[in-house]
Amino acid sequence: MPLTGTPHIRLDTSVQYVKGIGPKRAEILAGADVRTVGDLLAYYPRRYIDRSTLKRISDLKPGDEATVVGRVFSSEIVRGRTKRFMLLVGDQSGFLHCVWFGGLPYIAKAFKAGDTVAFSGKVTFYRGPQLVHPEFDKISEEGENNPLHTGGIIPLYPSSEALSQAGLDSRGFRRIFRPLLDSLESADDPLPRGMLSALDLMPLISALENVHFPNDWPSLNKARHRLKFDELFFIQLALGFGRAARLEENKGIAFNKPGGRIRDLLERLPFSLTGAQKRVMREIRDDMKSERSMNRLLQGDVGSGKTIIALLSMLVAVENGYQAALMAPTEILAEQHFLTVHSLLEELGIRIVLLKGGQKGSDRKRVLEAIASGDADIAVGTHALVEEGVSFHRLGFAVIDEQHRFGVLQRAELRQKGYFPDVLVMTATPIPRTLALTLYGDLDVSVLDEMPAGRLPVRTVWRTGEKREAIYEFIRDEVKKGRQAYIVYPLVEESEKVDLAAATEGYADLSKTVFPEFKTALLHGRMKSDEKESVMGAFKSNGIQILVSTTVIEVGVDVPNASVMLVEHAERYGLTQLHQLRGRVGRGMDQSACILMAQHPLSDDAKKRLETMVSTNDGFKIAEADLEIRGPGELLGTRQHGIAGFKIANLLTDGRILDAARKEAFSLIETDRKLSRPENRPIREALKKRMHGDFALIRVG
Ligand code: ADP
Ligand code: MG
């Protein structure tokens, strides 16, 4: 505790100097990652209410999602078959009950008669209106001035049990923020005045003031706009510096020989490239020709034909005397890529090797030697390719397939090993544009937005157990017509044993009882490599008609004759995964079908996911829906890294602010590469502070 009174409060002052925050609260706040005044003020309201957004109790109808503000009259614990806590709440128009089952001791202590509280939830009727397990925020206590009566907009803050037990509920936060903001009048704004006026941004201090104590809705919107801008601007700035550094590096390779074998490959393909594939190839070749090192993200929905792009660009590198590497996230996919590359390039005199994690002894030695001596032109493999003991003779080009599964760090790993190849990252996970710009602002982006001609969208339905017989009948008919089918069982790490047992049992039943007349096989990640290889090989050549599999087939597997997919326990998957799975069918000219089998009970989110899958085949729409259901952090598994953990910006709806922030950040770097001009120095300082936390991962990209 300070001995000399309150220090000058700045944004980087520790919260322990804030009036109203003692050691206990400071500790609890630290648990929510709030350590400085800046962190604390960035604890933004979850939403706002004023009288215009409230409902009168007498106007409530069953099924409404409503917020009411009322006085607590009485409470009681009712002991029936299930114990419950009932609260009688009234406003000028009438009364309602709020009801809780469970969590009783904490809830029972949360209210006193005379408190004015905002309750939000879904309205039901049982002897009058009631809200079951509503969210609640205390507005004021008996005898205290109720801010709603003075006509203000009231912020409601996110809370947790720990926070509200320490009195840090909405009312508690409001009481801390008022004097804090008053003592903060000199908050330093990192953005220069010229920029504020050019972009019509509210000064930081007013934005903070208005986000916590809005004067009116328009100033609240301007305040939020400013704070969102900051969040996005500093990320774009970090990305922009990374990009500028890469472009200046000059370590890139100029692959400028045209290479006769590229034409040979194009002639050997059983199809001609789509317009989108041609365009993307031009973009890649332009990058490769230039001396700058390439860092390009290729986005293309499942089935859009990314593999051939990888092949052609690797061939460009080989034609220029360099080695190329193709990295896949799973062994099955690496093996499949190896087969594809091999079948198309071997006859052109290109030497290809496959490196896998499990390879041992002389096999592995032979492959490593070929890579090190330069005998191998192309190395296909898993993550094993960037592990210790692998050294390339002259690596010039690296393709990273299915980046979403693989993580964002391969490029950094390659650099650490002293390689500076041009890099092409391919992803079938259609990352919404706003998110891609935010996360991969340092990459150039190419998009395959056209499917090969003749593809029919996969017909998708979701069903529950009762329809099982009919579904098997459907699969039987399809297989009789010469098609092939996937039956997929979920397998997640946490319950791997149980899942594997379910898949194995399911397989036994399917192969012996349900489809004894067909050739079936089981495929899962625990099988030995050569077993997997032979099953996949047999399925590819139609020696197996029904492949029962765990999710190892999720990514990349390409068997155009397979036209039916049955996904068991579809309710357990995320949308992206379902879309990937479904992408295994619909690769040929036949009408394909995907049946999502769900088990009750279904959560609302699970139902939304299934319905999204039924309603669209468009990966971009699916990704948007995913973002909406799950939030951006989870979508990319980056929550821990804080990249997508935006406090106020919403990537779904703030695309325009993002564009403005990006433009401003990039042009700032262009005009003042080191941010050394006096007016830009505060920006540099603010960026540095943020770089310690949120941007740690971006920096290495
Ligand atoms: P993904 O983008 O999902 O990796 P693939 O590269 O596996 O897709 O391609 C899917 C299928 O489409 C493959 O069987 C591939 O041979 C085929 N294909 C790729 N490009 C074309 C094209 N231009 N015309 C017809 N078929 C194509
Ligand atoms: Mg692929």
Side-chain angles (χ1 to χ4, degrees), residues 253-262 281 284-285 288-289 294 309-326 345 350-351 376-379 394-399 421-424:
I253 305 159
F255 300 95
N256 38 29
K257 279 194 220 140
R261 284 185 290 186
I262 292 158
M281 266 326 289
I284 292 175
R285 291 202 67 168
M288 291 182 75
K289 264 186 223 154
M294 166 169 119
I309 300 289
L311 243 72
L312 284 163
S313 32
M314 290 197 294
L315 192 52
V316 173
V318 173
E319 289 289 85
N320 280 271
Y322 285 88
Q323 289 175 296
L326 171 55
L345 297 185
I350 311 261
R351 293 147 303 177
D377 298 307
I378 292 179
R394 214 173 169 223
L395 183 65
F397 194 82
V399 183
D422 277 10
V423 174
L424 178 67

Side-chain angles (χ1 to χ4, degrees), residues 89-382:
V89 176
D91 68 6
Q92 274 139 2
S93 72
F95 290 94
L96 69 74
H97 274 113
C98 295
V99 188
W100 284 266
F101 308 88
L104 298 183
Y106 155 64
I107 295 290
K109 270 190 264 164
F111 308 101
K112 286 197 307 291
D115 287 349
T116 301
V117 184
F119 294 97
S120 310
K122 195 168 193 165
V123 180
T124 52
F125 270 71
Y126 177 75
R127 298 181 191 151
Q130 63 172 24
L131 295 168
V132 177
H133 288 206
E135 282 184 50
F136 56 88
D137 287 276
K138 202 184 281 185
I139 306 286
S140 63
E141 287 186 349
E142 180 93 81
E144 202 180 29
N145 188 16
N146 179 342
L148 270 176
H149 293 158
T150 56
I153 298 172
I154 300 185
L156 302 183
Y157 292 88
S159 193
S160 66
E161 194 171 326
L163 286 172
S164 40
Q165 276 179 351
L168 292 173
D169 50 12
S170 288
R171 180 167 145 273
F173 277 114
R174 285 197 305 271
R175 286 175 150 190
I176 290 171
F177 283 146
R178 186 63 273 169
L180 175 59
L181 282 161
D182 290 339
S183 63
L184 195 73
E185 246 147 290
S186 60
D188 326 298
D189 197 324
L191 305 187
R193 284 212 189 141
M195 189 166 151
L196 296 185
S197 60
L199 295 173
D200 192 20
L201 293 170
M202 193 181 247
L204 183 59
I205 181 80
S206 329
L208 289 171
E209 167 79 33
N210 272 292
V211 82
H212 293 294
F213 296 96
N215 281 330
D216 46 44
W217 294 100
S219 357
L220 173 58
N221 285 338
K222 286 207 78 174
R224 289 172 54 79
H225 182 95
R226 163 66 206 262
L227 298 168
K228 287 172 178 191
F229 181 88
D230 277 23
E231 238 175 24
L232 298 165
F233 173 73
F234 283 103
I235 287 187
Q236 291 306 319
L237 206 53
L239 292 167
F241 277 116
R243 179 189 158 87
R246 174 172 60 82
L247 297 185
E248 284 159 13
E249 212 167 52
N250 243 352
K251 282 204 175 132
I253 305 159
F255 300 95
N256 38 29
K257 279 194 220 140
R261 284 185 290 186
I262 292 158
R263 168 142 324 141
D264 296 344
L265 172 59
L266 287 172
E267 273 164 16
R268 291 169 54 92
L269 291 177
F271 48 76
S272 50
L273 298 184
T274 64
Q277 284 170 322
K278 285 184 192 151
R279 187 190 67 233
V280 166
M281 266 326 289
R282 272 197 303 275
E283 290 166 358
I284 292 175
R285 291 202 67 168
D286 284 348
D287 269 10
M288 291 182 75
K289 264 186 223 154
S290 110
E291 258 176 24
R292 300 179 345 210
S293 71
M294 166 169 119
N295 197 23
R296 188 169 277 278
L297 178 72
L298 172 58
Q299 280 196 342
D301 209 346
V302 281
S304 60
K306 294 184 292 297
T307 314
I308 193 65
I309 300 289
L311 243 72
L312 284 163
S313 32
M314 290 197 294
L315 192 52
V316 173
V318 173
E319 289 289 85
N320 280 271
Y322 285 88
Q323 289 175 296
L326 171 55
M327 285 188 258
T330 66
E331 274 195 13
I332 290 195
L333 189 51
E335 274 150 17
Q336 181 186 277
H337 277 329
F338 175 72
L339 292 177
T340 312
V341 178
H342 205 266
S343 70
L344 286 168
L345 297 185
E346 168 95 326
E347 283 177 35
L348 299 177
I350 311 261
R351 293 147 303 177
I352 305 130
V353 293
L354 173 65
L355 185 72
K356 299 184 295 185
Q359 259 164 344
K360 296 226 167 57
S362 58
D363 243 11
R364 180 175 164 84
K365 207 166 153 225
R366 187 179 48 77
V367 171
L368 288 180
E369 273 170 14
I371 295 175
S373 66
D375 267 356
D377 298 307
I378 292 179
V380 182
T382 56

Side-chain angles (χ1 to χ4, degrees), residues 525-567:
R526 279 295 156 101
M527 286 161 52
K528 293 215 186 75
S529 287
D530 46 347
E531 283 174 331
K532 280 190 272 189
E533 227 166 294
S534 82
V535 169
M536 270 320 294
F539 191 60
K540 264 200 133 153
S541 60
N542 204 357
I544 290 167
Q545 286 129 13
I546 299 178
L547 183 66
V548 180
S549 155
T550 60
T551 31
V552 286
I553 59 143
E554 179 184 337
V555 220
V557 170
D558 181 39
V559 180
N561 189 51
S563 64
V564 187
M565 165 159 293
L566 168 61
V567 181

